[in-house]
């Protein structure tokens, strides 16, 4: 339901308890704080976002003891992506590039399960098609191409 700035500022008049989550976009700080207080009192998660040109901010309050998975892909293996031969950077660190500059969706902390059994942990994302990763299991052959499945890290955020 959309609410006017005036009605949001009068958060005591809102029945936020009827919602699973309340999100406010574009409202001012004072109105957002009032709405956040009403949501917290009712035990309802609250998200506020505001954007001005290229600058933005996001605030969330999921309540005491809330646990939120940090990624939608948590635990799901992606389809195998062909990789160019890995380039050794030293100390079990490798640069991995997707063949044909395909985009990967990897983030720091994710895992790459290589065809053949080796496992790499993503340490840095260099470009949308390249990353640096540390070998944590198995062995790699830097002379041949291989496929890799992305296994996102599941991080549980506690508030």
């Amino acid at each position: 339901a959309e609410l006017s700035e005036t009605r949001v500022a009068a958060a005591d008049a809102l029945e936020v308890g009827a919602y699973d989550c309340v999100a406010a976009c574009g409202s001012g700080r004072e109105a957002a704080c009032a709405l956040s207080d009403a949501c917290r009192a009712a035990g309802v998660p609250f998200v506020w976002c505001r954007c001005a040109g290229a600058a933005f901010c996001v605030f969330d309050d999921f309540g005491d003891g809330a646990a939120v998975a940090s990624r939608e892909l948590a635990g799901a293996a992606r389809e195998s992506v062909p990789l160019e031969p890995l380039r050794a950077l030293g100390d079990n660190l490798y640069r991995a590039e997707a063949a044909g500059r395909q985009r990967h969706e990897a983030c720091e902390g994710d895992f790459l399960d290589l065809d053949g059994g080796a496992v790499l942990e993503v340490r840095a994302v260099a470009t949308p098609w390249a990353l640096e990763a540390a070998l944590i299991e198995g062995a790699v052959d830097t002379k041949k191409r291989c496929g890799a499945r992305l296994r996102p890290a599941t991080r549980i955020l506690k508030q």
Side-chain angles (χ1 to χ4, degrees), residues 114-142:
L114 302 183
D115 296 346
V119 179
L120 300 172
E121 181 179 0
V122 178
R123 296 292 169 89
V125 175
T127 67
W129 61 87
L131 50 85
E132 293 178 6
L135 180 67
I136 59 171
E137 186 178 309
V140 297
D141 182 350
T142 58

Side-chain angles (χ1 to χ4, degrees), residues 40 60-70 155-159:
R40 182 164 267 277
D60 59 64
D61 182 355
F62 295 107
D64 294 331
V68 179
S70 66
R155 296 186 183 108
I156 301 299
L157 307 175
K158 294 282 188 181
Q159 183 160 319

Side-chain angles (χ1 to χ4, degrees), residues 93-119:
L93 192 64
Y94 296 87
R95 180 174 174 98
E97 294 187 13
R101 292 192 164 193
Q102 292 182 55
R103 292 183 63 90
H104 62 71
E105 295 181 29
C107 294
E108 288 181 25
D110 287 349
F111 300 95
L112 293 177
D113 297 326
L114 302 183
D115 296 346
V119 179

Side-chain angles (χ1 to χ4, degrees), residues 61-87:
D61 182 355
F62 295 107
D64 294 331
V68 179
S70 66
R71 298 197 45 213
E72 286 182 22
L73 302 174
R78 305 288 291 166
E79 288 185 25
S80 186
V81 172
L83 299 178
E84 297 294 339
L86 299 177
R87 192 173 79 216

